[in-house]
Amino acid sequence: MTVEVPPPDGLPRCPWPGDDALYRHYHDHEWGRPVTSDTRLFEKICLEGFQSGLSWITILRKRERFREVFHGFDIAKVAAMTEADIERLLLDPGIIRHRGKIAATINNARRTLEVQKEFGSLAAYIWQFEPRPGHRAEDYSWSALSAVAQTDASRALSKDLRKRGFNFVGPTTCYAFMQSMGMVNDHIETCFCRPEVEASRAALQRPVK
C-alpha cells in the first residue's frame, strides 16, 4: 500500500509532482488549466510527442531550451525549418535528440497551418474533441485516474490528427495533451487545484474559429 506524504507546503495535491519544486509549480499553475492559444496548444502537443517513452519531468526540465530552438513554437517559423535545422538540433544536448520527433515537430507545424486555414484556428479544431459530460464514471481518486491512459475522445483526436498527417500523436499522447491543456480536469478530488480548474472550465468560452 502506498502512503501519500503531504507536500512541504501542506497543500493537498495530486501525488505525481512529488516534492520537486519545478514539477509542483507546473502542476499548480499550468496542468489542467484551459488553453485556447494556438501557440501554446502547438507547443503542448509537440512536447507531449517528445515525452513519448520518457517521463514528463525530463521534458519539463528541457522546455526552455525547446522553446529557444523552436522559435517559441511560432507555428509558421517552425513550419519553415529545414533538414539542415534537423541536423543542427540533433547535436543540441539541451533537447531530446530524436530525429523522428524533431522532424515530426516541423511536419506538425505544417499540418497545423492547414488546420488553421480550414478551421480558423488550431484551438477551434482541438476543442471540438472535448468529451461530453458523463463520458466516464466520476471517480477522481488517484487509483482511478492513474489507470486511465486513453479514452474514446483521445482515440478520436488521435485518429483525426493522423488522418491529417500529424505524427507522434497516438491516443495515449493525445490523452496526456488533453489533460495538460484543460480539455479534461484530472486533478484528484482532494487536490486544491481541482475546484479552480473546474471554475476556469465553466467560465471558458470555447473557441469556434
Side-chain angles (χ1 to χ4, degrees), residues 32-169:
R33 296 177 188 270
V35 175
T36 57
S37 159
D38 277 15
T39 302
R40 287 194 62 211
L41 287 170
F42 177 66
E43 174 186 300
K44 284 180 175 291
I45 203 164
C46 290
L47 292 183
E48 292 293 351
F50 272 103
Q51 186 269 336
S52 179
L54 303 170
S55 65
W56 177 248
I57 189 59
T58 299
I59 304 302
L60 195 59
R61 288 173 179 152
K62 294 176 178 287
R63 183 165 65 169
E64 289 308 314
R65 183 58 181 162
F66 273 113
R67 287 171 171 170
E68 291 173 4
V69 301
F70 285 116
H71 308 288
F73 287 94
D74 180 292
I75 298 164
K77 290 181 180 178
V78 176
M81 293 175 71
T82 66
E83 182 65 29
D85 292 304
I86 295 175
E87 295 298 330
R88 175 175 53 82
L89 293 183
L90 284 170
L91 301 176
D92 193 323
I95 65 168
I96 304 301
R97 291 178 286 182
H98 185 292
R99 179 182 290 275
K101 293 177 180 180
I102 294 170
T105 300
I106 298 170
N107 169 75
N108 292 350
R110 295 168 183 170
R111 304 292 77 78
T112 297
L113 293 177
E114 295 167 356
V115 166
Q116 289 176 319
K117 184 175 182 180
E118 180 177 351
F119 291 89
S121 69
L122 176 62
Y125 165 74
I126 291 293
W127 275 95
Q128 69 178 334
F129 291 91
E130 182 179 14
R132 294 180 179 180
H135 69 287
R136 70 182 190 199
E138 293 188 2
D139 182 351
Y140 296 104
S141 64
W142 173 239
S143 60
L145 291 175
S146 60
V148 179
Q150 54 181 261
T151 63
D152 288 344
S154 77
R155 286 186 284 271
L157 175 58
S158 172
K159 181 179 179 180
D160 200 76
L161 284 169
R162 288 187 288 191
K163 183 179 70 176
R164 294 174 181 278
F166 284 75
N167 297 324
F168 283 92
V169 287

Side-chain angles (χ1 to χ4, degrees), residues 12-14 24 27-29 31 33 185 187-188 190-199:
R13 285 187 180 86
C14 302
R24 288 203 311 269
H27 166 274
D28 294 358
H29 300 284
W31 192 77
R33 296 177 188 270
N185 181 3
H187 286 279
I188 63 172
T190 55
C191 178
F192 82 94
C193 293
R194 181 167 183 80
E196 296 178 1
V197 170
E198 277 301 288

